[in-house]
Amino acid sequence: MRFDGYAVLITGAGRGIGEATARRLASEGARVLLTDADGERAEKAAAALRADGLTAESATCDVGDRAAVEAATAHAADRFGRLDVLVNNAYSFHPDPDLLEDVRDEDWARDLDITLTGALRCARAAMPHLAAADGRGAIVNIGSVNGEQDFGAHAYSAAKAGLAGLTRTLAGHGAPRGVRANLIAPGTVATPTWTGREVSLQQAAAHYPLGRVGRPEDIAAAVAFLASADAAWITGVTLPVDGGILVGNVGLREALRGSAQPTCRIR
């Protein structure tokens, strides 16, 4: 029960990584506020946790709206009496057009506003509460391998790379105030956004050194570590949770070996 007595706010928690993270932290004793731009989805996820005897509430929160962010943060602090952990998971993603010159300003601006500036809004609102959390204050940002290496998606990748930089500056600012900030960079994770594209996931799995794509629970476990006292001397880092994709190129390796097909398969 590493999070007994902790209060946690998670953005983008209605499904996928955010929902899995809420369940993991709540299962270890945390009181969790699940927020999402889709309030009904957030409440459905929170209700499922409560049905299992866990402490969870929900709130509608569009991280693109400063007032909504501040209201959700205040709600968490008021309802739970404190706020110890912020998990910035909300993001926006627009697929690239075929040509760079067809990238729309509004799509670029939306991806950066939600993914990067949204995390700043949340950190700004939460920081006074985290700084008062008796040394337990922690921010865990959900980045992406797209912020570390080219996997396409201009705006999304730029936003995630910016989020890694923001994490480092938050770590420097927060350290004297007893607040740590770290980032997790997931690889491909089988979330509901892939519904209907399962074949693509299977194809992607063949390129991962560990032979499969990620599960939301893989990322939730890493969040639990970085948010806990087990990581009390870790701040400002980017932790890839990526099945080895940043350190291995299965396709090239197998080509050099003369194999027509990668040897890794989804498990």
Side-chain angles (χ1 to χ4, degrees):
M1 302 296 285
R2 288 182 293 182
F3 297 101
D4 187 29
Y6 278 61
V8 179
L9 188 156
I10 305 173
T11 67
R15 63 181 185 175
I17 290 171
E19 182 180 12
T21 297
R23 178 169 290 278
R24 177 61 185 260
L25 299 185
S27 72
E28 294 195 40
R31 297 164 293 167
V32 181
L33 178 66
L34 292 81
T35 74
D36 200 285
D38 184 334
E40 291 184 2
R41 190 159 62 192
E43 174 53 27
K44 181 179 179 180
L49 296 186
R50 292 194 298 270
D52 290 335
L54 304 175
T55 304
E57 297 193 10
S58 69
T60 302
C61 181
D62 177 358
V63 300
D65 181 341
R66 179 173 183 173
V69 166
E70 292 177 349
T73 304
H75 175 71
D78 291 344
R79 188 70 182 88
F80 300 140
R82 59 185 301 130
L83 182 60
D84 302 280
V85 176
L86 167 67
V87 181
N88 281 313
N89 176 64
Y91 73 95
S92 174
F93 174 87
H94 286 86
D96 287 339
D98 291 337
L99 298 176
L100 179 64
E101 50 265 42
D102 293 331
V103 172
R104 303 193 311 165
D105 285 0
E106 53 267 38
D107 293 343
W108 173 273
R110 177 68 176 173
D111 284 1
L112 265 67
D113 184 58
I114 297 301
T115 307
L116 177 55
T117 311
L120 171 65
R121 291 186 186 102
C122 294
R124 180 174 57 197
M127 185 60 75
H129 302 287
L130 301 177
D134 304 321
R136 304 197 301 195
I139 298 171
V140 183
N141 294 325
I142 306 301
S144 172
V145 293
N146 284 61
E148 308 297 317
Q149 194 169 302
D150 172 30
F151 293 99
H154 300 298
Y156 176 80
S157 297
K160 290 297 191 180
L163 188 56
L166 176 62
T167 300
R168 290 187 287 272
T169 60
L170 289 174
H173 173 83
R177 304 175 71 177
V179 179
R180 298 179 298 106
N182 294 290
L183 179 137
I184 293 167
T188 306
V189 179
T191 65
T193 60
W194 287 93
T195 300
R197 296 185 291 160
E198 288 78 9
V199 172
S200 295
L201 280 179
Q202 291 178 355
Q203 292 171 341
H207 295 280
Y208 277 81
L210 289 183
R212 65 171 175 88
V213 298
R215 306 181 185 100
E217 293 76 15
D218 294 322
I219 312 306
V223 174
F225 166 65
L226 287 176
S228 76
D230 289 339
W233 211 46
I234 300 174
T235 194
V237 306
T238 291
L239 173 63
V241 183
D242 66 350
I245 196 66
L246 290 179
V247 297
N249 187 322
V250 174
L252 177 59
R253 187 181 71 220
E254 298 302 324
L256 293 173
R257 288 177 177 173
S259 173
Q261 297 291 332
T263 56
C264 290
R265 292 290 181 270
I266 190 166
R267 296 174 182 171

